[in-house]
Amino acid sequence: MSAASASDLPRDGVAEIALVGRSNVGKSSLINALVRQRVARTSAAPGKTRLANVYRVARGNIAPFYLLDLPGYGYARAPRQALGALSPADARRSSQAEFEAIVSVVFERAPAALLLVDARHPGLASDRTAWQWVHAAAGDAAVVATKIDKLGRGERIRALREFESVFETSVLPFSAVTGEGLDELWTLIDRLKN
């Protein structure tokens, strides 16, 4: 289901993990890899997720939990019909306000969080800012470097070292394409939701 306000979010007390990251970082692809089916829509065009998409995930005999797929930061695009007479700057401010509103509602609930960062772009200012905020706002938080399959061995090592230096925590390498890091991601999720 999709949530635009607090009243749209689940109220059954099941553990929640928020997925935070720049637009097009691979949040929806990560969800699809976790559940091994296409439940989250993916797009090459950034800015498609505009609401908090809520997925109830159950795995084996482990207690179910919710993944809260949040809109990406760093790219805001409103549908053309919604722009009307707004200037591009006003449209960006409007989209940013929508993003901040839904993210605030979700984090008032103190979920655990996964910050997803693109392995090809270590040390981005927007990711550093997001980590500071997520680390302070979430019940517990961790960092996952997506798209690790797009880097060669030496590039991976350098990128992960830089990420760990910037975030001052371990960073889990993950690929939705190859499944690399999937078992470790499940272990991380089990730790975060307990």
Side-chain angles (χ1 to χ4, degrees):
M1 69 180 179
S2 294
S5 67
S7 64
D8 299 330
L9 292 167
R11 291 183 286 274
D12 57 4
V14 172
E16 298 175 347
I17 299 178
L19 298 179
V20 180
R22 288 180 29 241
S23 291
N24 239 28
V25 75
K27 295 181 296 294
S28 298
S29 295
L30 180 139
I31 292 167
N32 291 338
L34 280 171
V35 300
R36 297 180 188 228
Q37 57 182 315
R38 190 170 187 257
V39 296
R41 286 190 219 158
T42 59
S43 173
K48 292 294 186 183
T49 303
R50 309 224 358 137
L51 303 170
N53 292 317
V54 181
Y55 300 90
R56 185 178 173 103
V57 179
R59 179 177 184 233
N61 59 356
I62 296 172
F65 65 99
Y66 289 110
L67 281 176
L68 308 174
D69 181 14
L70 300 178
Y73 57 82
Y75 185 94
R77 181 175 70 189
R80 181 167 285 168
Q81 65 272 20
L83 293 178
L86 292 178
S87 70
D90 287 340
R92 279 191 300 279
R93 280 191 290 278
S94 174
S95 292
Q96 183 64 27
E98 289 174 11
F99 167 80
E100 290 172 3
I102 191 62
V103 169
S104 294
V105 164
V106 166
F107 276 93
E108 284 173 4
R109 301 161 65 94
L114 289 174
L115 174 65
L116 276 57
V117 294
D118 188 324
R120 300 169 298 178
H121 306 291
L124 293 178
S126 59
D127 289 339
R128 290 193 311 264
T129 300
W131 176 242
Q132 291 170 351
W133 184 81
V134 165
H135 190 61
D140 197 1
V143 181
V144 176
T146 62
K147 305 181 183 184
I148 196 71
D149 57 290
K150 298 192 182 288
L151 297 178
R153 183 182 166 119
E155 293 172 307
R156 289 174 184 220
I157 292 167
R158 282 189 297 279
L160 289 172
R161 280 187 188 144
E162 187 170 348
F163 276 126
E164 291 178 354
S165 173
V166 166
F167 295 122
E168 297 178 347
T169 190
S170 61
V171 175
L172 174 66
F174 177 77
S175 168
V177 173
T178 67
E180 179 180 345
L182 186 59
D183 291 338
E184 294 84 354
L185 180 58
W186 274 114
T187 300
L188 178 59
I189 287 170
D190 288 341
R191 181 184 63 79
L192 288 175
K193 67 185 184 73
N194 292 324

